[in-house]
Amino acid sequence: MEAFNIPATPSLIKEFLRQTGGAAVIDGGLATELERHGADLNDPLWSAKCLLTSPHLIRSVHLDYLEAGADIIITASYQATIQGFEAKGFSREQSESLLKKSVEIALEARQMYYERCGKSSSDGIGDGKVLKKRPILVAASVGSYGAYLADGSEYSGDYGDAMTVKALKEFHRRRVQVLAGAGPDLIAFETVPNKIEAQAYAELLEEEHLKIPAWFTFNSKDGVNVVSGDSLLQCASIAESCKQVVAVGINCTPPRFIHDLILAIKKVTTKPIVIYPNSGERYDADQKEWVQNTGVKDEDFISYVNKWCEVGASLVGGCCRTTPSTIKAIRRTLSRKTPAAPKEKLAT
């Protein structure tokens, strides 16, 4: 990350956390915010559709989260796959260009944010916005094979008996190569629903010798196992054993399950723990929509944050249906409990 000289090495997150005072804030839900800005995401590409139709909206949402206090922004590539774009009639070259674009938009948003900070005469808080030049990471999102299928199977982890580690590696290989080459600070393998895909990601990172770190985050619907029913301990152990994985944790999971899941992960990893739950709302895969009034309010979500950090989480944000307001509240909560970060000399 250029502005604060954090090298893209296996120590990336530990050095980043040293500079942020021991805890850092991840952004929140992307699709919800894109829709609020007027995007129509009723498409198998979901939020990745905006890479085609309205990249300016993606940039705006990234900026919203940075101004809410996020220290890490995640690219709009969760549902962006070469296979998915090709199914829409795009060439391989065009598909790869769209993947790169997801990273470029996030990098542009970070630069625009730094420019706004430079123009701000406040002490870092202005008009309710956080305008403070600080270390900010861009994480390139890699959604699961189930996300590409767009049938809700990232919430079940059921890929059928015929799916293999080899087939998953080949599905993700070029996508990961392209995203890594576009200049993010790390790769976020998100909503990993089963052990087979975790194994595929770990082998892929080692085979490709990518000079970029990654994190693995799993999802759970029972607070014990990952959504497929596979053992969370076994899945987290795969992440622990992969040298390029610099953090491991949970995303897109109801907040009420997070405490026990952190304790479970701590049994098998010494790496920083990353947590970004959804709002707790239930997703109806048949209707392809979130069921209203099944989640928790921001104030209830925030009430969990200190407890998560007390038991071991050091990177905290939100996933589906969380907003910049959620992230702003998380930052306020964390800033009360973390010491001031050491001041770092900016690169010239």
Side-chain angles (χ1 to χ4, degrees), residues 17-37:
L17 288 169
R18 187 186 73 80
Q19 292 196 20
T20 59
V25 182
I26 305 167
D27 64 9
L30 180 63
T32 307
E33 287 303 294
L34 287 171
E35 289 176 327
R36 190 175 66 82
H37 279 275

Side-chain angles (χ1 to χ4, degrees), residues 291-338:
V291 180
Q292 296 296 318
N293 302 316
T294 57
V296 298
K297 296 178 181 178
D298 269 359
E299 55 265 34
D300 296 323
F301 187 103
I302 300 308
S303 70
Y304 288 107
V305 171
N306 279 331
K307 296 170 187 173
W308 297 336
C309 292
E310 284 167 8
V311 295
S314 51
L315 302 113
V316 180
C319 198
C320 297
R321 311 291 282 180
T322 60
T323 69
S325 295
T326 318
I327 300 314
K328 192 177 293 184
I330 291 174
R331 184 167 191 87
R332 276 199 305 268
T333 300
L334 292 183
S335 64
R336 294 190 195 109
K337 68 187 297 298
T338 56

Side-chain angles (χ1 to χ4, degrees), residues 76-345:
S77 50
Y78 175 80
Q79 205 129 336
T81 64
I82 293 169
Q83 297 89 335
F85 288 131
E86 288 180 335
K88 287 282 187 179
F90 292 91
S91 67
R92 173 59 62 101
E93 184 179 5
Q94 289 171 320
S95 301
E96 292 185 3
S97 178
L98 286 165
L99 282 173
K100 292 175 188 173
K101 191 174 183 180
S102 69
V103 177
E104 290 164 358
I105 291 168
L107 295 173
E108 288 168 7
R110 179 171 69 185
Q111 186 56 40
M112 289 174 67
Y113 176 76
Y114 281 152
E115 289 170 3
R116 290 184 185 182
C117 292
K119 294 175 183 176
S120 173
S121 58
S122 70
D123 60 356
I125 305 291
D127 299 324
K129 297 177 180 178
V130 178
L131 292 171
K132 180 182 179 184
K133 201 155 189 178
R134 61 190 186 278
I136 292 168
L137 299 182
V138 169
S141 172
V142 174
S144 68
Y145 175 71
Y148 154 73
L149 294 176
D151 62 358
S153 57
E154 76 260 51
Y155 301 112
S156 71
D158 183 5
Y159 293 169
D161 294 338
M163 183 52 69
T164 64
V165 169
K166 181 179 179 182
L168 286 170
K169 284 193 293 185
E170 293 317 303
F171 174 81
H172 288 293
R173 189 179 303 274
R174 184 57 187 157
R175 174 197 196 187
V176 171
Q177 290 171 340
V178 170
L179 287 170
D185 299 297
L186 73 155
I187 297 177
F189 292 97
E190 304 186 279
T191 325
V192 185
N194 52 37
K195 182 180 174 183
I196 189 175
E197 197 147 31
Q199 188 64 45
Y201 288 149
E203 291 183 17
L204 196 55
L205 286 170
E206 291 169 4
E207 289 171 10
E208 292 300 316
H209 305 293
L210 296 175
K211 299 187 185 303
I212 183 170
W215 77 39
F216 285 11
T217 52
F218 301 91
N219 59 336
S220 173
K221 57 188 176 186
D222 63 4
V224 178
N225 300 306
V226 299
V227 292
S228 64
D230 290 343
S231 162
L232 174 62
L233 294 181
Q234 291 180 9
C235 290
S237 294
I238 292 169
E240 171 68 11
S241 65
C242 182
K243 291 179 181 177
Q244 281 160 284
V245 174
V246 295
V248 58
I250 299 291
N251 78 297
C252 211
T253 294
R256 66 184 183 276
F257 293 143
I258 298 300
H259 182 277
D260 288 348
L261 293 169
I262 293 171
L263 293 177
I265 291 170
K266 280 180 66 178
K267 293 177 181 177
V268 294
T269 188
T270 57
K271 296 177 180 180
I273 293 177
V274 50
I275 296 296
Y276 48 116
N278 57 35
S279 66
E281 289 174 75
R282 183 170 59 82
Y283 183 74
D284 186 324
D286 294 327
Q287 297 296 320
K288 291 185 168 54
E289 63 184 18
W290 294 90
V291 180
Q292 296 296 318
N293 302 316
T294 57
V296 298
K297 296 178 181 178
D298 269 359
E299 55 265 34
D300 296 323
F301 187 103
I302 300 308
S303 70
Y304 288 107
V305 171
N306 279 331
K307 296 170 187 173
W308 297 336
C309 292
E310 284 167 8
V311 295
S314 51
L315 302 113
V316 180
C319 198
C320 297
R321 311 291 282 180
T322 60
T323 69
S325 295
T326 318
I327 300 314
K328 192 177 293 184
I330 291 174
R331 184 167 191 87
R332 276 199 305 268
T333 300
L334 292 183
S335 64
R336 294 190 195 109
K337 68 187 297 298
T338 56
K343 290 186 177 179
E344 298 294 328
K345 184 179 178 181

